[in-house]
Amino acid sequence: KPYPLCNAAQVQTVIDTSALWSKHFALLADIDLTGVTGSIGNSTTPFTGTFDGRSFKLSNYTRTTSSSEVGFFGVVQGDGVINGTADGVVKNLTIQNFVVSGTNRLGALAGRALTGFVTNVKVLGGSVTGTDNQMGGLLGTSTSIVTGCTSSATVVENNGTGDVGGLIGLNSGTVSSCHATGSVTANWSSGASDIVSVGGLIGQNGATSSGPGIVEFSTASGNVVAKAQEVGGLVGTLQHASSVVRGSSCSGLVDQNDTSAYFAGGLVGRVIVGTVDDSFSSSVVDSRFERVGGLAGGMDGGLIEDSYATGSVTARVNRAGGLVGSVSATSTIRRASATGNVSSETGNTVGGLIGLCENLTLQDSYARGSASGDQNIGGLVGHATTCTITRTYAAGAVTGNSDKGR
């Protein structure tokens, strides 16, 4: 039988008593957490119990610190099985106007969620602000199963190193039927940005150290404005060969405002490896530099299939495409399309579908938007080397000073 939580004093007792962090709790009322301090669980003693919100609301929690693993929960950890022992479950909870600030591994709900279960949690408003990496509107980093969750929190990173997402900063678990509507901003005060992997839903999906990330049937609609590399409307960076984005979409503006940062994409900033399947972007993508695409800024491997982009793409320098800006390693794209217009103010290698195409197998795909730039401008591909292209077409206008054609 769970311990009932009816007021802020009881919540404060749970925070202050680590011996309770393996127990089970249930909210029996909406609770205003004004004045409550600290977090439940840390890396030494994570929360391994169950916290059932029973559709009640926690509001007005503030946690400002120079530490890491910051949120209402510091660390939630399960054993991957719900059996009453070491479950690591948070469910059926609404949190409103939470303000969380720290260095890294920050989330309104939890800084880290490890092999646990986060289900039907709603983050309404509030903010998450950090100065290092791994921060999200819901979770900073996750190897858990996250289902049916939403966040409208504002997420801001200042002079950090990346992995910033509207829902989760770094995901090496499963995210299913989740949605982020809050804005995501990454700021770098001077010089070339060191921030990498910024996304409207997930900053980095999958990692060689912590395993693949799965994102399915999820959306992001908040604007992503970043002086950073690998910036996407849904996912900043897709990493790990088994990582997948499927059945998902985004619609917010992607604005990469760094004059030396690579890779900006409507859906994914950069596909290093992994699969994008049955997904689309209607995001407008605007970059101050290069390797910019309506669906993905760049591909260094992996697969894109049954996916499309409709937003316009603008690059200030080179390698811009209606679907993918640059493909530079063995990759496959099939049954894909782009209908947005693509332009580069002073740059080269612009294509209605692909800007730069190297070692790509491209099949059953098309582009209908216009392509414009200086040189190496194509209605389908701007410049191709060792590519296999079959059953494709382009229908948009092409404008350039030299080396142009459909």
Side-chain angles (χ1 to χ4, degrees):
K1 185 177 180 179
Y3 290 88
L5 297 175
C6 304
N7 55 56
Q10 291 173 331
V11 174
Q12 186 68 69
T13 297
V14 177
I15 291 173
D16 294 340
T17 311
S18 60
L20 295 175
W21 294 351
S22 61
K23 308 302 181 183
H24 306 295
F25 300 93
L27 290 186
L28 298 187
D30 293 339
I31 301 176
D32 187 331
L33 298 180
T34 300
V36 169
T37 61
S39 300
I40 300 172
N42 55 41
S43 58
T44 303
T45 308
F47 178 76
T48 58
T50 296
F51 194 102
D52 186 353
R54 295 191 176 181
S55 299
F56 288 107
K57 178 172 63 179
L58 297 176
S59 60
N60 303 321
Y61 170 80
T62 299
R63 181 88 163 104
T64 301
T65 176
S66 59
S67 301
S68 61
E69 297 173 345
V70 180
F72 180 67
F73 295 91
V75 180
V76 176
Q77 185 167 356
D79 58 9
V81 179
I82 300 177
N83 57 11
T85 303
D87 291 341
V89 174
V90 182
K91 61 182 180 180
N92 307 325
L93 176 65
T94 297
I95 58 179
Q96 185 173 22
N97 297 331
F98 276 32
V99 177
V100 172
S101 178
T103 55
N104 67 323
R105 295 174 177 169
L106 316 173
L109 181 70
R112 300 173 73 195
L114 307 175
T115 58
F117 301 85
V118 180
T119 305
N120 192 29
V121 176
K122 299 178 177 63
V123 181
L124 303 179
S127 63
V128 176
T129 304
T131 57
D132 195 347
N133 65 355
Q134 297 178 20
M135 59 202 70
L138 181 75
L139 304 169
T141 182
S142 174
T143 59
S144 297
I145 295 175
V146 180
T147 308
C149 294
T150 63
S151 175
S152 61
T154 298
V155 182
V156 178
E157 181 182 49
N158 292 311
N159 296 323
T161 57
D163 297 345
V164 185
L167 192 79
I168 301 172
L170 172 60
N171 176 55
S172 290
T174 297
V175 175
S176 182
S177 301
C178 291
H179 312 283
T181 61
S183 64
V184 178
T185 304
N187 300 309
W188 190 259
S189 60
S190 63
S193 176
D194 286 338
I195 302 174
V196 180
S197 306
V198 181
L201 188 80
I202 309 291
Q204 179 167 318
N205 192 48
T208 54
S209 58
S210 53
I214 309 298
V215 175
E216 57 184 11
F217 319 122
S218 297
T219 67
S221 58
N223 293 339
V224 181
V225 180
K227 189 174 183 181
Q229 302 196 71
E230 301 175 19
V231 179
L234 188 82
V235 173
T237 305
L238 185 62
Q239 174 67 280
H240 198 288
S242 298
S243 290
V244 177
V245 174
R246 73 165 65 92
S248 297
S249 65
C250 62
S251 57
L253 170 69
V254 177
D255 183 358
Q256 185 187 53
N257 54 14
D258 189 321
T259 56
S260 60
Y262 297 98
F263 304 109
L267 191 80
V268 181
R270 184 183 186 186
V271 178
I272 296 177
V273 285
T275 298
V276 176
D277 175 40
D278 190 27
S279 297
F280 73 91
S281 169
S282 60
S283 294
V284 170
V285 185
D286 189 351
S287 171
R288 305 300 188 274
F289 200 48
E290 65 175 57
R291 303 181 193 183
V292 187
L295 193 79
M299 289 184 75
D300 299 311
L303 168 68
I304 293 175
E305 63 180 357
D306 300 310
S307 299
Y308 64 92
T310 62
S312 63
V313 176
T314 303
R316 300 302 191 273
V317 190
N318 305 321
R319 302 184 188 182
L323 191 78
V324 180
S326 175
V327 180
S328 58
T330 303
S331 307
T332 300
I333 297 175
R334 57 192 179 218
R335 299 183 301 277
S337 65
T339 56
N341 296 331
V342 187
S343 64
S344 176
E345 290 184 351
T346 60
N348 309 322
T349 318
V350 178
L353 194 72
I354 311 290
L356 176 67
C357 173
E358 296 179 342
N359 301 307
L360 172 68
T361 299
L362 176 62
Q363 302 171 333
D364 304 301
S365 300
Y366 66 85
R368 290 180 177 167
S370 63
S372 62
D374 184 17
Q375 58 183 350
N376 294 330
I377 315 299
L380 189 75
V381 176
H383 180 78
T385 304
T386 61
C387 295
T388 302
I389 300 175
T390 56
R391 299 183 299 276
T392 62
Y393 74 88
V398 177
T399 305
N401 294 321
S402 62
D403 299 324
K404 60 183 181 178
R406 291 189 177 178

